[in-house]
Amino acid sequence: MVAGGNIKSDISFAGTFASSAFAACFAEVCTLPLDIAKVRLQLQKQAVLGDAVTLPKYRGMLGTVGTIAREEGLSALWKGIVPGLHRQCLNGGLRIALYEPVKNFYVGADHVGDVPLSKKILAGFTTGAMAIAVANPTDLVKVRLQAEGKLPPGVPKRYSGSLNAYSTIVRQEGVGALWTGIGPNVARNAIINAAELASYDQVKQTILKIPGFTDNVVTHLLAGLGAGFFAVCVGSPVDVVKSRMMADSSYKSTLDCFVKTLKNDGPFAFYKGFIPNFGRLGSWNVIMFLTLEQAKKFVKSLESA
């Protein structure tokens, strides 16, 4: 990813898309157990029996991972991996590959010098919204599969796999149901993408101006951590609403889900799973950006050969 002014990418768009999709998929495989923990914590609601509030089933990131592995088996920690990879190929590939050309479009062909942070944020917001509008069905299926915990004996699973989930949703709920939660999902993806890409771009640009720092793994590591932290801080509330709407079709709208969550679980519910979310996005961003930078170098060597 270019840090700085209006610079033409040194590899093709197809090469950038392939590098981005590969990096996003690799990061997804490495961090999916943390995403499972995050979704379960976000969907966990307060249970009241009589006058007492029961203790939550899932407590903390590691505790949630341990509970899932113990009750459902290790393979459950990679539930939704197939639609997750579908999502990253489409969403990850598009939002990252489009970032540079869209950023350059916003600043104009005659721009000289560093790109303003506002333009970076706008470019990230735009590409994030565009990408998830295409990839929303894959996100919906991933959340539905992740949300399904261990079932009582004799109770069949809702879906036997990702392809069955797509067909079952279309058959029972209609094609439009694949875009359930599109409102909060577009908002979440646009906000998080802007926070991730703009902060990575800005932090990397700032670090490279410090004497002794070069465009190497250390710089990519620090910029990736910064991108993950900012993304979680601004994206957690809309992420919780998105997860609840996709897992439970009883919510009438984004506002309905927001109000019911606030009323039933309190304001802190919007930051449920914050630690696993940061663990997930922080590590995801570090792995993704480190892989992306290396993948782009590899693709550049192939295209220039």
Side-chain angles (χ1 to χ4, degrees):
M1 183 174 292
V2 177
N6 187 8
I7 303 173
K8 188 178 184 297
S9 176
D10 51 4
I11 65 174
S12 65
F13 177 80
T16 304
F17 178 87
S19 301
S20 303
F22 173 76
C25 286
F26 182 68
E28 185 78 4
V29 172
C30 293
T31 63
L32 192 63
L34 298 179
D35 193 44
I36 298 278
K38 178 206 73 174
V39 169
R40 294 287 180 91
L41 286 167
Q42 287 177 341
L43 298 180
Q44 183 167 256
K45 302 174 184 178
Q46 289 183 353
V48 181
L49 295 175
D51 296 328
V53 178
T54 61
L55 291 175
K57 179 179 180 180
Y58 302 117
R59 304 187 71 178
M61 177 177 64
L62 295 180
T64 302
V65 170
T67 299
I68 295 170
R70 185 173 61 254
E71 293 186 353
E72 303 171 43
L74 283 174
S75 62
L77 294 172
W78 276 270
K79 265 188 179 180
I81 185 61
V82 174
L85 294 179
H86 293 167
R87 179 187 188 275
Q88 292 305 338
C89 280
L90 286 173
N91 182 56
L94 287 172
R95 70 185 181 89
I96 299 167
L98 288 170
Y99 175 73
E100 288 295 337
V102 170
K103 182 177 70 172
N104 290 338
F105 171 78
Y106 282 139
V107 297
D110 299 328
H111 179 80
V112 178
D114 292 341
V115 175
L117 179 59
S118 60
K119 300 295 185 182
K120 295 174 183 176
I121 293 172
L122 184 59
F125 196 89
T126 302
T127 62
M130 291 168 60
I132 202 60
V134 176
N136 195 82
T138 64
D139 210 15
L140 174 74
V141 169
K142 187 184 82 164
V143 170
R144 292 274 182 100
L145 290 173
Q146 288 178 341
E148 192 172 65
K150 187 178 182 180
L151 300 172
V155 178
K157 292 182 177 180
R158 292 173 70 188
Y159 314 113
S160 60
S162 57
L163 294 180
N164 176 256
Y166 286 118
S167 61
T168 301
I169 291 168
V170 170
R171 185 173 64 254
Q172 295 182 352
E173 304 173 46
V175 175
L178 291 173
W179 276 267
T180 298
I182 184 67
N185 209 14
V186 165
R188 173 200 180 267
N189 210 64
I191 291 169
I192 289 181
N193 193 58
E196 280 181 356
L197 298 188
S199 60
Y200 182 85
D201 201 353
Q202 190 71 22
V203 171
K204 181 180 174 182
Q205 175 185 307
T206 302
I207 291 174
L208 290 176
K209 291 180 179 179
I210 300 173
F213 281 91
T214 59
D215 191 4
N216 58 18
V217 171
V218 174
T219 299
H220 304 158
L221 175 67
L222 294 174
L225 281 173
F229 178 75
F230 284 114
V232 177
C233 286
V234 302
S236 275
V238 72
D239 190 37
V240 170
V241 172
K242 180 217 72 168
S243 291
R244 291 197 173 192
M245 283 192 70
M246 286 186 164
D248 187 350
S249 58
S250 66
Y251 294 113
K252 297 176 182 177
S253 64
T254 304
L255 181 61
D256 179 55
C257 182
F258 180 88
V259 170
K260 286 181 178 177
T261 301
L262 181 64
K263 179 180 178 182
N264 296 331
D265 300 310
F268 290 110
F270 294 109
Y271 282 90
K272 265 188 177 181
F274 182 88
I275 298 301
N277 206 5
F278 176 64
R280 151 76 165 169
L281 271 181
S283 57
W284 192 95
N285 275 276
V286 168
I287 294 170
M288 193 281 290
F289 281 116
L290 285 174
T291 306
L292 175 64
E293 299 280 6
Q294 299 307 310
K296 288 175 73 175
K297 288 181 182 178
F298 176 73
V299 170
K300 181 182 177 181
S301 68
L302 291 179
E303 292 186 343
S304 61

